[in-house]
Amino acid sequence: APPLVSTCIRQLRPDLARYAPQPHWPEQEGPEAPLVMAVLSREAKLAADAAFKAAEHERAMRLYSVAMGCNPHKGEEAALLGNRSLAQLRMGQPDAALSDALAATISAPDWPKGWARKAMALKALGDHAAALAAAEHALELSPEDKAFRAMRDELSQLLAATPAAAAPPPMGVLI
């Protein structure tokens, strides 16, 4: 079931306090609910972006989650997942970051930042070969992006410097 307007308002109340006077948010679900939910999702994303820039990564992660939950159209889902993935990486949670990055690449397979987030999470987990493959895919989708090129080059160097015995086994290989 889609989230209720009241649920999103309750989760965002501190971040909506900047409105003066407070807008009238509908208490009941009605025909305007999708529009209200889209506005709330945008507000949650803006608050999450601000929290991320202030290095409040846990708060940013929570607000990106709220933005996804409030978004009735799911149009920005990949970007929200990618941003939450980066916040999780900054919090030292590479497994959760990889989960969100994978979801972002499924939601928007042609969005290069999703693949870059996947590469970053895989690198943090020590899987340099898979990270390199993801970085190369990001670069294929956006060949002019200097950051993706630098990521690919760094991962290539890391992989070349990793002795074969120390490298993790390929994904899907049982030991």
Side-chain angles (χ1 to χ4, degrees):
L4 300 174
V5 171
S6 58
T7 302
C8 288
I9 291 172
R10 189 172 48 256
Q11 291 174 326
L12 286 172
R13 188 155 315 277
D15 299 292
L16 296 173
R18 66 186 169 99
Y19 290 104
Q22 288 288 311
H24 171 70
W25 300 106
E27 296 295 325
Q28 302 292 323
E29 302 301 306
E32 71 282 350
L35 178 61
V36 171
M37 295 294 273
V39 169
L40 292 172
S41 178
R42 189 191 81 229
E43 290 297 322
K45 182 187 181 305
L46 292 172
D49 291 345
F52 187 87
K53 287 177 184 167
E56 297 172 2
H57 299 116
E58 188 171 338
R59 183 168 179 263
M61 186 181 67
R62 180 184 63 80
L63 287 165
Y64 286 128
S65 297
V66 171
M68 282 187 285
C70 293
N71 192 342
H73 304 294
K74 304 297 180 201
E76 292 185 16
E77 187 173 51
L80 294 168
L81 284 163
N83 290 349
R84 188 171 71 178
S85 174
L86 187 57
Q88 291 164 331
L89 274 173
R90 298 284 167 82
M91 292 172 52
Q93 299 175 359
D95 290 314
L98 179 58
S99 178
D100 276 355
L102 289 170
T105 61
I106 291 167
S107 176
D110 294 332
W111 186 54
K113 280 190 178 180
W115 293 95
R117 299 293 195 259
K118 181 178 176 182
M120 294 167 71
L122 287 165
K123 178 186 172 200
L125 290 167
D127 190 347
H128 298 150
L132 177 60
E136 287 175 340
H137 193 74
L139 193 56
E140 286 173 18
L141 294 170
S142 185
E144 303 301 318
D145 193 298
K146 292 177 184 175
F148 297 160
R149 186 171 310 283
M151 180 188 302
R152 191 247 352 240
D153 294 346
E154 177 189 353
L155 287 164
S156 292
Q157 291 173 358
L158 279 171
L159 196 57
T162 303
M171 299 280 292
V173 174
L174 297 175
I175 300 176

